[in-house]
Amino acid sequence: MAKLWGGRFEAGLDPDAKAFSYSLDWDRRLAPYDILVNLAHAKALFKKGVFSADELETVSIALKALETRIASGDETVWGDDEDIHSCIERQLTECCGDLGKKLHTGKSRNDQVITDTRLFLKDQLNSHRQALLELLETLYHLAEQYRDRLFPGFTHFQPSQPILFSHHLLAYFEKFQRDYQRFELVLKTVDVCCLGSGAMVVNNYGLDRGLIAKELGFSTISMNSMDAVSDRDFCLEYLFSASVCMTHLSRFCEEIVLWVSPIIGFINLSDSFTTGSSIMPQKKNPDIAELIRGKSGRVLGNMVSLIHILKSLPLTYNRDLQEDKELLFDTCDTLNGALICFNKMIRTMTLNDSAIDAALEKGYLLATDFADYLVGKGVPFRESHEITGKTVSYAIQEGKALEDLSLEEFHLFSDRVQEDVFGVLELRHSVDSKQVTGGTATEEVKKQLKRIQEKYKWKKP
């Protein structure tokens, strides 16, 4: 089949230029969406009298048959075509003759590809949202399971204050819940039909764009044809949201990599999500967590690449925009795989109580509680902070925990300390004293879990 644009050219494209510029190898995954777009366009042409009823039926049957062939994995569909649009048109022309050529009336690859891409991304966003819901449910169940488990909280990866492990898990619940909400917002941006915009100035046939949008399941249509074919903001918004989500996955994976190490040993992971070493037979490596952590950089790089592509483009369509889909496809595949594997992986996670209990005895986690105790005795906080620092320094020198100091030893630093200090310097007391909305106190965590259960209607484990 002749090139879609070859009429004014005397020579063919250089073989290297052809290899460099043809995109069918990767944009063929848009085939189901391109067929839907062609079907909707055919109906619009019929409504305007460009197609007869018989022509519409013939084209529709041919397109649906082609859809079946592609879905079945028929590799003979693909040929030496420039892109998915020329491939579909070639197949249709081979089947229907000149009627296949007639279908391109009133549309351009410019408005066609952006409509294909929006349809593709709508499906991907729904997949992401479903995967996130499943991940959120897993986090909820784990938080319920380990609701009362004390755990060391960290800042700068230094022991800081005691928390509940459930509180730690619910921190990630909040992050992934925001990811879900971001994808919902992106879906609204994506849900715009651009078909009918033509190459840049709509078409000369008065095609019913409302009909096209309805046929394709879009909630609205684009309002400016030049913007429609040049806009990739929705791709940027998606790539940003995907980058944030991958960053959240990466942060959790970093903790998993640390926790599962025998040096720390807070958790165990199933063999199903770890691998061994080719030379060190004792190794059990958290490779899936490491890969998710590593792949987050690819997703971020895809976002930066698209911003760079767009930053100097004049209106309207430029061939540079062809590069958006490889970035988009790679991000969608990476995020889908990461969400599925991460969710399955953390379902296998179990806690090592002895290692966690040992860690709770390190790092003077109750120091802040002691400082607050002094405030309750009338000592200004800045002064109590100083007193606490000196007391901790003394305890380190003596090789004692803060709670193991005698009252006489406390009096070396402040005579405000009384016998009741020993009731304060307890891990459970420390946790349950955080009775503020959003806090780690047992009752506050219970409230948060209840709010989650009421919102999502998940069954308790």
Side-chain angles (χ1 to χ4, degrees), residues 294-354:
K295 288 175 182 291
S296 65
R298 276 176 54 182
V299 172
L300 176 61
N302 289 340
M303 181 189 73
V304 173
S305 294
L306 185 57
I307 290 176
H308 187 77
I309 289 168
L310 295 173
K311 72 177 182 65
S312 300
L313 293 186
L315 295 181
T316 54
Y317 184 83
N318 297 271
R319 190 66 177 270
D320 314 49
L321 293 173
Q322 176 177 290
E323 294 299 301
D324 66 343
K325 280 167 287 300
E326 281 190 279
L327 305 174
L328 201 64
F329 296 160
D330 181 64
T331 296
C332 291
D333 293 343
T334 301
L335 181 56
N336 276 327
L339 284 169
I340 291 168
C341 286
F342 182 82
N343 188 23
K344 288 184 174 182
M345 177 178 65
I346 64 169
R347 287 177 184 170
T348 76
M349 180 175 64
T350 57
L351 302 191
N352 293 328
D353 290 334
S354 59

Side-chain angles (χ1 to χ4, degrees), residues 18-44:
K18 177 179 175 181
F20 185 71
S21 63
Y22 276 28
S23 62
L24 183 62
D25 284 347
W26 44 266
D27 69 13
R28 59 191 277 181
R29 71 186 298 175
L30 291 176
Y33 305 102
D34 202 67
I35 289 171
L36 288 174
V37 165
N38 276 298
L39 283 167
H41 185 70
K43 291 179 181 178

Side-chain angles (χ1 to χ4, degrees), residues 83-131:
D83 53 30
I84 186 58
H85 319 298
S86 53
C87 177
I88 298 298
E89 184 167 327
R90 173 180 60 79
Q91 287 285 347
L92 196 61
T93 301
E94 289 176 2
C95 176
C96 304
D98 287 346
L99 184 56
K101 301 177 182 180
K102 188 175 180 181
L103 182 59
H104 199 63
T105 303
K107 69 177 169 66
S108 163
R109 287 186 295 178
N110 296 357
D111 63 342
Q112 192 169 338
V113 70
I114 198 63
T115 308
D116 289 1
T117 304
R118 286 176 180 272
L119 288 170
F120 164 81
L121 194 50
K122 282 178 68 175
D123 280 351
Q124 293 296 312
L125 284 165
N126 286 328
S127 295
H128 295 343
R129 290 162 70 226
Q130 181 60 39

